[in-house]
Every structure is written in C-alpha cells, then in structure tokens.
Amino acid sequence: MKDTILRENNSINCGGNLLSLEDPIVMGIINITPDSFYDGGKNNSIYNAILQAKTHLDAGATFLDIGGYSSRPGAEEVSEEEELARVIPVIQSITKEFPSSIISIDTFRSKVARAAVENGAQIVNDISAGDMDNEMIATVGDLGAPYIMMHMQNTPKNMQNNPSYENILLEITKYFSSKIIDAKNAGIKDIVLDVGFGFGKTIENNYTLLKNLSHFKLLGHLMLVGVSRKSMLYKPLNINPAEALNATTAAHMIALEQGAKILRVHDVKEAMQAIKIYNL
C-alpha cells in the first residue's frame, strides 16, 4: 500500500520546474571513473556516457546521476581538477543531447557542485552532507539546487575499516536533524535524505536501516535509496556484483514499502518494473 503520510513534501524544484514524487522515481547512475565497483571504466568517454544516458532515459529514468570520484570502499583520492575534467564535459554533452534531462552531480566538493550546476546540472548529491567540504551547504543554498545529503561514517578510504554504532537509527536521525537545520539556514529548500548503505556500515547495519527505513520519515523529507548491486546484497549470497540484479530488485521492493521515493540504480529498466509492481 503506497505511503501518503508526507504527501505535501513529495516534490522538488529542479531548475525552476516543480517535479512531483508522489510516485517513486529512478535515478540512473553514470560513473565517469575508471574504478567504480561495478561499472568502472565503462563510461569514461563522452560518447559512452551519452549512450548510457540514452539507455537510462529510454528505460524511464527521471534523474541522471553523474560522478567523477569513485566512492567505493578503499577508493583512491582524485584531485579537484581531475574530477572537474571528468564530469563537466559529460554534463555539457548530455545537456546538449538531452535538453530536458535532469542531471544530478555526485560530488562532495563545492567547486565541482557549482561548476556542474552552472553547466547544466540541477541537483547536488553529496555523500558527505557537507562534512568533507565546509563550503558545500552554503554553496548549494546559493545555487538554489535540491540537495541530497547522505550519511557516511568516516571517508571512502577508511569507512569500512571498523564501522561501529551504539544505536544506528538514533545516531543517523540525530545526524540528519542537525544537517537539515544547517541546510535550511543556508536557504536550501529541497532536501533529500540518503542513509548511505555501505558507507561506514556493516552488513547487519545495512539491513537494520533497510528494514526500518520508514523511521526516517519522521524527519519530513524525501528519501533516496542506493543499494544497487552493493556488497550488502552479493556477499551474503556468495555471488559477485554482476550477479546481484535479482537481489537488488528484492531490496528495492523493501525500500519502496518503507517509503523510499528515489531509487539510485545501475539498471533502470528493472527498477522501473519494481516501481510499477509496487504501484499496482
């Protein structure tokens, strides 16, 4: 049964266009990196990124999430200049090729976020919720863009070394409560919450969050879920990311039942099918 508790908050303003999320939608991932855990190197060229964008849009994606910095566990750092060189030409090209597309920039750097929005992106997706760049929240407020803020314990390089919580639901709720205040004080009007599956969490932590995702609805903001082909799905099944599509769909259905409004995925067609079944 579809959730309607926070119906009044189920919309965001993307570049002057009000987008309804009464029904869940899909964000298609486009990684412009050589080392992402699932599709590293696949979209390194502008041509391949455009092909991926077309595939996602044709399959029903509402958003395209473009990132030039791999956030997989143990990922090496990438310079700001390299990140800009990876993502800006791709954003420019996709905006030109698909002018009605809605692009999200996946970055924790305020300068990259600003350049991306100035070149056609409409949403900022920050894995650190401003913790890795103290200018980010003010920058997003200045840009007037929706802000996806994710919870992460530590940094991508060391987040999986020894994640530990006393009460993960309470701790993440407190974290978001503080971040929401900061964002609103900066003038950010549209906030999306991402609990950060796999970012400084054990497998047990991840499933506690997935099964209790509805808890975070009390914060009054849309929720994004990114579990696509992650280790929380393939490790318990003793398979690899390439074999984890069925498990991803199963997790998506749980997330939808728990109130998720945005599914961030590698496989748009299958995620759209899950949403269609959920909506019946």
Side-chain angles (χ1 to χ4, degrees), residues 7-128:
R7 180 179 296 274
E8 66 274 12
N9 293 327
N10 287 343
S11 64
I12 57 176
N13 191 321
C14 299
N17 297 312
L18 193 63
L19 178 68
S20 171
L21 279 82
E22 288 293 336
D23 290 326
I25 61 174
V26 171
M27 170 183 280
I29 299 168
I30 302 179
N31 286 318
I32 317 300
T33 58
D35 59 345
S36 289
F37 78 94
Y38 173 61
D39 56 359
K42 181 180 177 183
N43 302 307
N44 269 0
S45 73
I46 291 176
Y47 176 75
N48 286 340
I50 289 175
L51 287 181
Q52 187 64 59
K54 185 178 189 306
T55 298
H56 284 339
L57 293 170
D58 287 349
T62 299
F63 300 145
L64 301 173
D65 193 43
I66 297 174
Y69 189 121
S70 176
S71 56
R72 65 177 176 79
E76 293 301 316
E77 293 188 17
V78 175
S79 71
E80 189 173 88
E81 293 73 20
E82 175 63 20
E83 187 180 358
L84 284 165
R86 289 177 179 180
V87 301
I88 299 305
V90 169
I91 291 171
Q92 291 171 332
S93 298
I94 291 177
T95 299
K96 182 178 180 181
E97 191 75 19
F98 310 105
S100 62
S101 62
I102 302 174
I103 295 174
S104 164
I105 176 64
D106 180 0
T107 186
F108 58 82
R109 291 174 167 141
S110 59
K111 289 183 180 178
V112 176
R114 182 175 292 280
V117 172
E118 289 174 349
N119 282 277
Q122 295 103 319
I123 302 169
V124 177
N125 181 11
D126 179 5
I127 61 169
S128 79

Side-chain angles (χ1 to χ4, degrees), residues 124-244:
V124 177
N125 181 11
D126 179 5
I127 61 169
S128 79
D131 286 341
M132 295 174 72
D133 184 340
N134 58 18
E135 297 296 321
M136 176 62 97
I137 290 178
T139 297
V140 177
D142 183 55
L143 293 169
Y147 188 41
I148 301 169
M149 54 170 64
M150 193 192 81
H151 174 272
M152 172 173 57
Q153 193 174 83
N154 298 317
T155 68
K157 196 165 186 176
N158 63 16
M159 62 188 178
Q160 290 304 108
N161 288 358
N162 187 30
S164 177
Y165 303 86
E166 290 187 10
N167 184 324
I168 192 169
L169 295 177
L170 180 61
E171 289 174 49
I172 294 180
T173 299
K174 288 183 175 179
Y175 176 84
F176 279 142
S177 296
S178 175
K179 288 294 181 178
I180 289 167
I181 292 171
D182 292 343
K184 289 185 175 180
N185 287 341
I188 299 174
K189 294 181 173 59
D190 295 311
I191 299 168
V192 179
L193 306 179
D194 177 356
V195 298
F197 292 100
F199 285 80
K201 280 95 177 172
T202 64
I203 289 177
E204 182 182 2
N205 291 156
N206 287 320
Y207 282 99
T208 296
L209 289 171
L210 183 62
K211 294 174 182 178
N212 295 279
L213 197 64
S214 61
H215 168 83
F216 298 99
K217 290 191 292 186
L218 64 88
L219 294 169
H221 293 280
L222 296 166
M223 290 188 291
L224 176 148
V225 163
V227 295
S228 181
R229 297 183 182 267
K230 286 186 173 179
S231 62
M232 63 177 280
L233 302 176
Y234 64 78
K235 283 185 177 179
L237 300 176
N238 294 313
I239 57 177
N240 60 48
E243 300 171 306

